């Protein structure tokens, strides 16, 4: 016979055990899929915004705690804008999204079989992965150029170029050797795409509209600005009419343009280049210069080199029209690190902001479709057109049959970039600076924060910051 005490003990044991099981089951049932986004660029942030307040947990991983609006970096480099006007804190995007979190870390690799991302803070598991790591400058294996040229890809690059440009003028104003002074006042942009065109135009305006009024002991006839590109023309993605207009404006800004040229070396003092069709042993032309800005191409970041998947000739990750990496069910890739060629097209979609935004949005939608057991959507991207600013009230734009140039194209460029850029308060500041610069030609950001040339007074010298090797590998 079971007494009352035994019955009570059995009841309590059964209740506790059952409660424990139900609690575990409830925990498993309430556990939501985890989406990890590598990179806080515009594509990665767009994907996270679409997943905000949805039934998933999102973790963004980036080695910076801010998003950089790269189209305006050249304006930091040429003293038009300040650094806080081209960046936005990543956490600031998600004040009202409790399901989105951020991890400040360096991405070191991906292990798809284990569904783990290797980071500087340890392993991070995922259920779905969005790779939005962007790209890094491509020096095509030329280590000498990589050591000595200035890339223009990150916020640190823009600050370094700004300080360097201002520093060489300070040094040139005190230099008595004509040959050394000429080298200091020679500026070269390599790459005839939008970054090279916009950068060269920005430097021309900084030099001739601002610095020429302030450096009274420099003969500005000694200044020379060069744009050297491997393509047969500037802005090769545009129509012949707009390319010709761009060339005319660049020449009006006293920029020497040389296309179909291959840069073979730069030792920090001499830039060597030759025609693209010339034999390898042909003699090279030489430019003595202290300033070479490299904008001749990009490639995927180093941490993706060990990721086993199909890649194109440029080592970008191939994706299908659902934005997934073929051979996987849970990995998506967007933006500059991915490559998708639409049916019937010869070339993949360009590495432009509108493409990254469209891919980021679709990746997020398809993850939600997969979570709900729904059919995935397919990418049908329509080009928004291309545009480039050449200088104050000078730009070119093309969208299908529509073409624009001059002031209207310039105003459209400014307006579209304000709409795309994050940060209301910064946008107000940027708008006022653009108006102020247009009316007066003054650039208020002429600050030497990292002078790196020899010969400067000790009172303003700063030791160059050591490059973080890990951070250089992951550029988002």
């Amino acid at each position: 016979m079971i007494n009352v005490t035994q019955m009570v003990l059995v009841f309590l044991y059964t209740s506790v055990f059952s409660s424990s099981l139900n609690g575990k089951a409830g925990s498993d049932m309430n556990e939501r899929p985890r989406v990890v986004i590598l990179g806080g660029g515009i594509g990665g942030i767009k994907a996270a915004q679409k997943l905000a307040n949805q039934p998933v947990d999102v973790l963004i991983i980036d080695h910076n705690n801010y998003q950089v609006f790269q189209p305006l970096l050249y304006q930091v480099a040429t003293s038009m804008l300040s650094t806080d006007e081209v960046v936005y804190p990543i956490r600031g995007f998600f004040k009202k999204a409790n399901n989105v979190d951020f991890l400040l870390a360096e991405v070191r690799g991906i292990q798809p079989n284990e569904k783990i991302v290797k980071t500087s803070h340890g392993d991070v598991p995922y259920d779905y992965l969005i790779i939005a790591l962007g790209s890094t400058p491509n020096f095509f294996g030329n280590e000498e150029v990589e050591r000595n040229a200035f890339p223009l890809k990150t916020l640190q690059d823009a600050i370094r170029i700004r300080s360097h440009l201002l520093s060489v003028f300070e040094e040139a104003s005190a230099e008595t050797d004509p040959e050394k002074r000429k080298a200091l006042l020679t500026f070269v942009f390599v790459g005839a795409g939008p970054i090279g065109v916009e950068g060269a135009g920005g430097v021309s305006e900084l030099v001739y509209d601002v610095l020429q009024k302030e450096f009274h002991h420099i003969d500005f006839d000694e200044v020379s600005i060069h744009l050297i590109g491997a393509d047969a023309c500037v802005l090769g993605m545009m129509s012949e009419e707009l390319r010709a207009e761009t060339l005319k404006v660049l020449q009006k800004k006293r920029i020497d343009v040389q296309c179909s040229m291959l840069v073979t070396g730069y030792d920090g003092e001499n830039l060597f280049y030759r025609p693209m069709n010339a034999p390898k042993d042909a003699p090279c032309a030489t430019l003595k210069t202290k300033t070479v800005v490299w904008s001749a191409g990009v490639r995927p970041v180093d941490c993706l080199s060990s990721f086993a998947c199909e890649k194109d000739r440029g080592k970008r990750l191939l994706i299908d029209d659902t934005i997934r990496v073929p051979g996987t069910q849970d990995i998506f890739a967007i933006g500059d690190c991915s490559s998708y060629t639409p049916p019937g097209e010869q070339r993949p979609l360009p590495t432009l902001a509108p493409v990254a935004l469209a891919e980021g949005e679709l990746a997020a939608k398809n993850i939600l479709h997969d979570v709900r057991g729904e059919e995935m959507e397919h990418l049908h991207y329509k080009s928004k057109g291309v545009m480039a600013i050449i200088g104050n009230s000078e730009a070119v734009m093309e969208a299908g049959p529509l073409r624009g140039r001059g002031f209207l194209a310039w105003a459209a460029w400014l307006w579209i970039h304000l709409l795309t850029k994050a940060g209301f308060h910064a946008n107000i500041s940027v708008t006022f600076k653009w108006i102020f610069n247009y009316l007066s030609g003054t650039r208020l950001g002429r600050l030497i924060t990292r002078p790196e040339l020899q010969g400067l007074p000790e009172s303003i010298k700063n030791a160059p910051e050591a490059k973080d090797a890990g951070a250089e590998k992951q550029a988002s």
Side-chain angles (χ1 to χ4, degrees), residues 97-254:
N98 292 332
N99 70 318
V100 181
D101 204 357
F102 172 72
L103 175 64
L104 184 66
E106 175 198 340
V107 176
R108 293 179 174 170
I110 302 167
Q111 295 181 341
N113 293 333
E114 293 79 12
K115 301 186 76 167
I116 284 174
V117 176
K118 309 289 287 186
T119 80
S120 55
H121 281 296
D123 295 346
V124 177
Y126 66 85
D127 295 302
Y128 294 94
L129 182 66
I130 298 178
I131 304 173
L133 289 172
S135 57
T136 192
N138 190 354
F139 293 92
F140 305 98
N142 195 322
E143 296 180 359
E144 181 187 60
V145 173
E146 185 172 1
R147 282 194 305 271
N148 296 297
F150 292 93
L152 183 50
K153 186 68 175 173
T154 68
L155 183 64
Q156 290 73 25
D157 293 337
I159 296 170
R160 192 176 297 122
I161 292 171
R162 180 187 67 190
S163 295
H164 175 84
L165 290 174
L166 299 171
S167 296
V168 293
F169 273 92
E170 295 293 348
E171 188 170 352
S173 67
E175 180 58 64
T176 57
D177 185 318
E179 186 175 341
K180 291 181 180 179
R181 188 171 59 247
K182 176 64 176 174
L184 287 167
L185 298 176
T186 298
F187 307 94
V188 182
F189 282 78
V190 180
I195 296 176
V197 168
E198 292 169 353
V203 167
S204 174
E205 291 187 341
L206 172 66
V207 170
Y208 295 114
D209 296 347
V210 180
L211 301 184
Q212 188 169 10
K213 301 173 184 176
E214 299 177 345
F215 285 85
H216 308 299
H217 302 294
I218 291 180
D219 180 1
F220 277 76
D221 287 337
E222 293 184 327
V223 173
S224 62
I225 305 173
H226 303 262
L227 179 63
I228 298 175
D231 294 333
C233 55
V234 296
L235 302 180
M237 78 293 289
M238 289 192 170
S239 65
E240 184 177 351
E241 176 187 356
L242 294 183
R243 294 198 302 263
E245 173 70 13
T246 302
L247 181 61
K248 184 174 72 174
V249 174
L250 289 171
Q251 291 172 340
K252 185 174 68 175
K253 292 182 175 296
R254 293 186 261 185

Side-chain angles (χ1 to χ4, degrees), residues 341-347:
T341 304
E345 298 291 334
Q346 300 297 319
R347 295 184 177 182

Side-chain angles (χ1 to χ4, degrees), residues 386-405:
V386 290
M387 55 175 49
I389 192 169
I390 317 169
N392 203 355
S393 73
E394 295 284 1
V396 290
M397 62 178 296
E398 187 170 31
L402 299 177
R403 296 173 184 172
R405 67 180 76 179

Side-chain angles (χ1 to χ4, degrees), residues 340 342 349-350 352-356 358-359 378-385:
Y340 172 67
L349 294 177
L352 298 175
V355 176
E359 292 176 343
H378 302 274
L379 180 64
H380 301 286
Y381 178 77
K382 280 192 172 183
S383 174
K384 306 297 190 297

